[in-house]
Amino acid sequence: SFVDAHLPGFERLGPGVFRIVLGSPETITPVQRRPAPPAWDRFSALPEAERTPFLADEVSFRIHARGCTVVLPYSPDEGVFGLGLQLKSHLQAGKKKKLRVNADPLADTGDSHAPVPFFASTAGYGILVDTARYVSFYVGTHARPSGIASRVKEKWDSPARSTEELYRSQAIGDCVVIDIPAARGVALYLFAGPAMGDAIARYNLFSGGGVLPPRWALGNWYRTSSSHDAADVERMIGCFEADGMPFSVLGLEPGWQSCFYPNSFVWNPQRFPDPRAFLGRLSARDLRVNLWENAFVHPECPFFEAIRPHCADELATDGLVPDFLDPKACAIFSEHHARLVDQGVAGFKLDECDNGDFVPHAWSFPEFARFPSGADGEQMHSLYGIHYQNTLHQVFRDRDRRHFDLVRSSGALAASLPYVLYSDLYEHRDFLRGTVNAAYSGLLWTPEVRDAASTEDLVRRVQSAALSPISLINGWYCELPPWRQTNTKLNQEKIEMQERDEATALVRQALLLRVQLVPYLYTAFFDYYSTGRPPFRGLAFDFPGRKSVWSEDRTLLIGRDLLFHPLVAGEREVEFFLPPGIWRDFTTGVPSLGDRRLRVTDIPVGRILLYVRDGALLPLANPDVPNEIIPHVFADDSASGSLYEDDGCSYAFERGDYTIFNLCWHRADGLSVIQTAGRKTGLATHLGQVVTRCEGTR
């Protein structure tokens, strides 16, 4: 029943990027329908890598009744990361994963909002399997038949003495098996290192390069109740101002539309009778507005009849499902959204573009659906989030306006799209793992704050969100801001809690920290755009050779110089790996020696475990003075850092209209600022007095 196919060799596509085509691949795949071309001009930022880690004759391929299967070499000493947004596990070595689009991953099976058929190995390479099918990966779980004699002898010589030993002895394989249903062939893309992080960066540049958000989008976000009208929203803004909460983006949930589930995509005239004036008032308070939607079209939608021929033959939440692989569907959908953008809408939250098995109603289209583009429902689920994103992204590109939005499903080659994933699930530890894991596959993720069991739980969740790609509090069912009442029932009854003042102070502290970090984060995102290195990433990205960090599924590196270990409610004592070098406490400047596990005890709720690399100079915003940046020095004698500046909102930076400054500080000579790249000259911001954090030694 198996046919072994002839194997061609690897074809070099660009610096450190190779392809091998096996059998007859399908035409509807991530690469064939990619949203952006490779950023070949930026590959020079990465180390040279012109050799594949294994040869083509070490790959086996066969076609069978179910589809096709690829087998790649693998060593049990390899750590494997990626496969998209995996909330239930970090290290993928020794696991079987079926990458299926499913919003409800209840177990560690591969189900995900954003499965990506890409993995990276600590051996210094990455593999993209170019398929839109629900592909299965067996990562070191099976052995090739050629090794049967030695394996059986080993078991005989050292028999298992418990059930655990028995299963453990069978869990060490020597290959990665990739099983693709339905297809009669597949293309594999190999990204060489030399280190694992370099391979991932190369994949991100192949995806079009990392995204650079507008500067305002890196502030704090709040989503208001779905029951609120224009007056309620403005009263909520008054609460923010009274409590000293610094928000830059305000999100409106489903109630802004006249019809939703499915959607009309037009304003509710009773709740928002004058949208343009409403948006203008919020803009005057320096707030951008982001609108919720899903893609499913209500009969009362203005473009219902126009888009109907360009939709699936099945419904979702009783609405039409646009085919975002069909240019006509994209044009109709984007033309209407362009009117909202021209009114002053800054972006959109793209909800429910994934799938879900464990719900009692058909809120998404089935796998047996058919689309005018020729895709079936399985393929479309794997591509829908990406092409939904790209359809609305082009609205902003056409207007030379950057945006940064939310989406609930994504996939392969997403790095250049300005969207951040979120979830309706709510386990805090899973959310933290998602922030780390997303970066291994070119994705961004926010552990948004949607609910909390206590004041401490709320504060820890806000701290986690504030140090993620989007700092977001989602109060879609809250009549009061959650820092005034964490109990859902009492919040909806507008009854404030006794510990309101304590919660308010601690939430404000985290949100103000985010405001301070915006110039540093903006610089880190430009590095993502330029080099493909994610601004938020796990320790294994930078230190793949240290097995001790492979299990660190919570600790984040942020940009070049920051390390963050988020906490969950109830933790007063933690231990985590501190990378080599000296790291200073962000608040006190107290140094700690790295290359070891650091134990921190007696942690108060207000403490954020944020550390700075010794010798770093961080450009931090002054929350009290607009357009002032205060250089913070974390060193005894000398420090350096960089600051990226552009107009903050357009794509002029792609044409060279930006500036990079090198900031240097010496104890004897003070601060110096040198332009190192870009066309523009002169700082657009004012530099305040240097603050030094260099206290004590331990």
Side-chain angles (χ1 to χ4, degrees):
S1 61
F2 296 101
V3 177
D4 290 321
H6 171 70
L7 289 180
F10 283 106
E11 172 192 5
R12 182 185 183 276
L13 301 181
V17 181
F18 305 88
R19 177 178 62 190
I20 184 169
V21 179
L22 307 171
S24 301
E26 295 183 295
T27 57
I28 296 177
T29 69
V31 174
Q32 294 292 332
R33 303 302 180 98
R34 60 182 309 145
W40 295 119
D41 58 317
R42 289 171 242 162
F43 273 68
S44 59
L46 300 177
E48 200 170 302
E50 291 303 319
R51 297 180 61 185
T52 60
F54 46 80
L55 301 176
D57 60 10
E58 297 179 79
V59 178
S60 63
F61 171 69
R62 61 192 183 189
I63 301 169
H64 46 80
R66 292 180 50 256
C68 62
T69 299
V70 182
V71 182
L72 304 178
Y74 167 81
S75 166
D77 294 329
E78 290 179 57
V80 171
F81 300 87
L83 302 182
L85 179 70
Q86 295 296 322
L87 296 179
K88 299 295 184 181
S89 64
H90 179 235
L91 179 65
Q92 305 307 326
K95 294 181 180 293
K96 175 195 172 183
K97 292 291 178 72
K98 182 176 182 179
L99 300 191
R100 191 176 62 131
V101 182
N102 182 11
D104 306 292
L106 300 181
D108 188 22
T109 59
D111 284 5
S112 170
H113 299 258
V116 179
F118 170 82
F119 70 85
S121 166
T122 57
Y125 68 93
I127 295 287
L128 171 65
V129 182
D130 187 28
T131 182
R133 297 295 176 187
Y134 290 171
V135 56
S136 294
F137 287 81
Y138 299 76
V139 185
T141 59
H142 287 65
R144 301 186 196 227
S146 58
I148 185 171
S150 60
R151 288 173 63 83
V152 171
K153 183 177 185 305
E154 181 181 343
K155 291 180 183 180
W156 180 261
D157 293 341
S158 303
R161 299 183 180 181
S162 67
T163 303
E164 291 76 14
E165 285 186 20
L166 175 64
Y167 291 150
R168 190 162 52 243
S169 70
Q170 297 183 51
I172 301 174
D174 63 357
C175 57
V176 174
V177 181
I178 304 165
D179 192 45
I180 306 158
R184 312 304 290 173
V186 69
L188 302 185
Y189 291 78
L190 188 150
F191 303 89
M196 183 178 78
D198 301 319
I200 296 171
R202 220 173 288 276
Y203 163 76
N204 288 335
L205 292 181
F206 182 75
S207 304
V211 64
L212 178 63
R215 188 160 38 223
W216 53 262
L218 294 179
N220 297 297
W221 295 43
Y222 189 95
R223 305 200 70 86
T224 60
S225 171
S226 58
S227 67
H228 283 177
D229 60 17
D232 293 327
V233 170
E234 293 186 68
R235 279 194 293 271
M236 183 66 80
I237 296 170
C239 290
F240 303 159
E241 293 171 348
D243 292 340
M245 298 297 182
F247 289 106
S248 301
V249 181
L250 198 74
L252 303 185
E253 287 295 292
W256 75 270
Q257 293 189 48
S258 60
C259 303
F260 51 92
Y261 292 107
N263 304 287
S264 64
F265 303 98
V266 296
W267 291 90
N268 184 321
Q270 283 74 45
R271 292 186 177 187
F272 297 91
D274 191 346
R276 191 177 292 273
F278 169 75
L279 294 169
R281 291 194 299 273
L282 268 59
S283 178
R285 300 168 91 159
D286 205 24
L287 282 166
R288 272 79 173 182
V289 172
N290 180 283
L291 300 181
W292 173 95
E293 67 172 47
N294 62 35
F296 311 133
V297 183
H298 192 283
E300 294 184 16
C301 172
F303 56 85
F304 180 85
E305 289 300 334
I307 206 168
R308 190 171 190 168
H310 309 287
C311 293
D313 63 351
E314 300 286 340
L315 303 178
T317 60
D318 295 324
L320 299 179
V321 182
D323 183 348
F324 290 125
L325 297 181
D326 180 341
K328 291 183 179 178
C330 296
I332 295 166
F333 198 83
S334 60
E335 181 183 3
H336 179 82
H337 283 76
R339 299 190 184 101
L340 294 170
V341 172
D342 291 341
Q343 284 182 337
V345 172
F348 300 92
K349 172 183 175 180
L350 312 186
D351 202 2
E352 291 153 353
C353 48
D354 41 17
N355 195 11
D357 290 343
F358 308 114
V359 289
H361 54 279
W363 63 265
S364 191
F365 56 88
E367 277 78 0
F368 54 79
R370 295 175 298 175
F371 288 80
S373 61
D376 60 38
E378 177 184 0
Q379 293 169 307
M380 189 60 84
H381 275 305
S382 297
L383 299 173
Y384 206 70
I386 285 284
H387 290 276
Y388 185 9
Q389 292 172 56
N390 193 47
T391 298
L392 294 190
H393 174 53
Q394 295 308 315
V395 173
F396 292 92
R397 287 236 43 148
D398 291 346
R399 285 154 177 74
D400 196 29
R401 287 173 55 182
R402 275 184 275 160
H403 65 115
F404 202 40
D405 288 340
L406 295 158
V407 68
R408 212 171 81 179
S409 182
S410 197
L413 306 177
S416 69
L417 292 170
Y419 294 83
V420 178
L421 289 154
Y422 65 95
S423 173
D424 281 355
L425 303 180
Y426 211 61
E427 167 56 43
H428 195 191
R429 292 177 188 273
D430 287 353
F431 270 30
L432 299 178
R433 189 177 297 113
T435 313
V436 171
N437 283 352
Y440 297 122
S441 303
L443 305 172
L444 299 170
W445 162 265
T446 175
E448 66 165 30
V449 184
R450 185 177 295 206
D451 190 19
S454 65
T455 296
E456 182 183 358
D457 188 30
L458 172 69
V459 171
R460 290 306 187 200
R461 289 178 182 271
V462 172
Q463 292 168 349
S464 302
L467 288 161
S468 79
I470 282 184
S471 174
L472 171 60
I473 297 176
N474 185 354
W476 72 274
Y477 57 75
C478 292
E479 294 298 318
L480 297 172
W483 56 86
R484 292 190 175 188
Q485 178 57 263
T486 58
N487 181 284
T488 300
K489 183 175 182 297
L490 296 179
N491 189 302
Q492 292 173 347
E493 294 173 1
K494 299 183 180 180
I495 300 173
E496 297 190 353
M497 60 185 181
Q498 289 185 339
E499 59 269 35
R500 164 196 156 171
D501 291 344
E502 175 192 0
T504 300
L506 291 171
V507 169
R508 185 193 305 119
Q509 176 192 41
L511 299 184
L512 286 173
L513 172 61
R514 175 63 176 220
V515 172
Q516 281 187 284
L517 288 173
V518 167
Y520 174 81
L521 294 177
Y522 198 49
T523 302
F525 268 100
F526 181 74
D527 187 58
Y528 186 34
Y529 165 81
S530 304
T531 70
R533 299 188 184 280
F536 297 84
R537 59 196 184 277
L539 294 179
F541 186 99
D542 287 55
F543 305 97
R546 295 175 180 270
K547 288 189 176 182
S548 55
V549 308
W550 293 1
S551 61
E552 294 284 351
D553 63 353
R554 192 194 305 189
T555 309
L556 277 175
L557 290 165
I558 304 175
R560 187 187 71 171
D561 294 321
L562 284 179
L563 180 144
F564 172 48
H565 184 80
L567 300 169
V568 300
E571 287 186 322
R572 297 291 180 269
E573 180 178 307
V574 294
E575 188 177 291
F576 57 95
F577 183 80
L578 202 60
I582 295 173
W583 294 81
R584 295 179 180 269
D585 184 280
F586 177 84
T587 303
T588 66
V590 172
S592 295
L593 186 63
D595 203 12
R596 65 186 177 97
R597 297 193 66 78
L598 180 67
R599 187 178 183 184
V600 186
T601 60
D602 301 322
I603 307 170
V605 176
R607 184 175 177 187
I608 299 174
L609 298 184
L610 183 62
Y611 297 85
V612 187
R613 194 187 307 274
D614 183 58
L617 187 156
L618 303 185
L620 302 182
N622 184 347
D624 301 319
V625 180
N627 298 319
E628 180 178 72
I629 290 177
I630 301 175
H632 281 61
V633 167
F634 294 83
D636 293 320
D637 297 312
S638 63
S640 64
S642 60
L643 175 65
Y644 170 81
E645 289 195 339
D646 60 17
D647 65 15
C649 58
S650 80
Y651 287 95
F653 74 93
E654 294 181 342
R655 303 184 288 274
D657 289 339
Y658 66 88
T659 312
I660 298 177
F661 297 98
N662 186 35
L663 309 178
C664 295
W665 175 87
H666 296 275
R667 182 173 293 280
D669 303 323
L671 180 70
S672 64
V673 181
I674 302 170
Q675 181 180 340
T676 60
R679 268 204 301 261
K680 291 189 174 181
T681 59
L683 276 164
T685 49
H686 169 66
L687 287 180
Q689 186 174 356
V690 174
V691 173
T692 57
R693 302 281 192 214
C694 48
E695 301 177 13
T697 302
R698 69 177 182 189

